[in-house]
Amino acid sequence: MAYTTSVRSVHPIHPIHAVFVAGILPLFAGAALSDFAYFRTFEIQWQNFASWLIVGGLVWTGAALVFALFGLAPSRRTRGRVLYLLALLATFIVGFFNALQHARDAWASMPAALVLSVITALLSCVAIALAFCGPRIGEVK
């Protein structure tokens, strides 16, 4: 007896959208690494690097959010797209609060800035995974 699987996959995202989504992780991960370096060395320049990387990550996340909103067209609305949009929105919100935390005076931002940077980097990983590896719906016949 042969088994066949019927799989319906999520539509791929637009290539320009993919560039914005893929660019989020290096920026937020770089911010987390810069915060860790600042936490260990007390060199204020690492704090400045992290602040600029977070701003860049927020700009790219905002652009990806615009593309994700247009991806929710009625003909293409799926549960995976909504989960991706929510993960991207959570990344933007936590990243925004991270930027506010980095606006504080030097050491006053630690260790909360480091924790928020790590959370933002992890949320960006989740958003990227949902963007490129959407859920597949299938059944075995």
Side-chain angles (χ1 to χ4, degrees):
M1 175 179 282
Y3 293 99
T4 60
T5 304
S6 168
V7 176
R8 180 175 47 111
S9 65
V10 177
H11 299 285
I13 61 177
H14 192 274
I16 297 174
H17 182 187
V19 168
F20 282 116
V21 171
I24 294 170
L25 181 61
L27 293 168
F28 284 133
L33 290 174
S34 294
D35 279 339
F36 182 72
Y38 178 59
F39 188 73
R40 300 286 290 171
T41 65
F42 308 109
E43 290 289 332
I44 192 66
Q45 193 61 34
W46 289 113
Q47 174 88 4
N48 297 334
F49 290 154
S51 296
W52 282 104
L53 287 168
I54 290 166
V55 168
L58 287 174
V59 168
W60 283 69
T61 306
L65 271 170
V66 170
F67 275 99
L69 284 173
F70 285 120
L72 286 178
S75 63
R76 297 174 64 180
R77 180 171 284 165
T78 61
R79 192 175 92 187
R81 297 278 183 185
V82 173
L83 288 175
Y84 161 64
L85 179 68
L86 291 176
L88 204 57
L89 187 63
T91 303
F92 187 83
I93 291 170
V94 174
F96 180 74
F97 284 114
N98 193 12
L100 293 178
Q101 185 69 26
H102 277 82
R104 297 177 77 185
D105 186 32
W107 190 250
S109 65
M110 285 295 156
L114 176 61
V115 171
L116 285 173
S117 290
V118 170
I119 291 171
T120 306
L122 292 175
L123 282 172
S124 68
C125 287
V126 170
I128 290 170
L130 289 173
F132 292 118
C133 305
R136 300 183 186 280
I137 302 168
E139 59 187 34
V140 177
K141 294 180 182 180

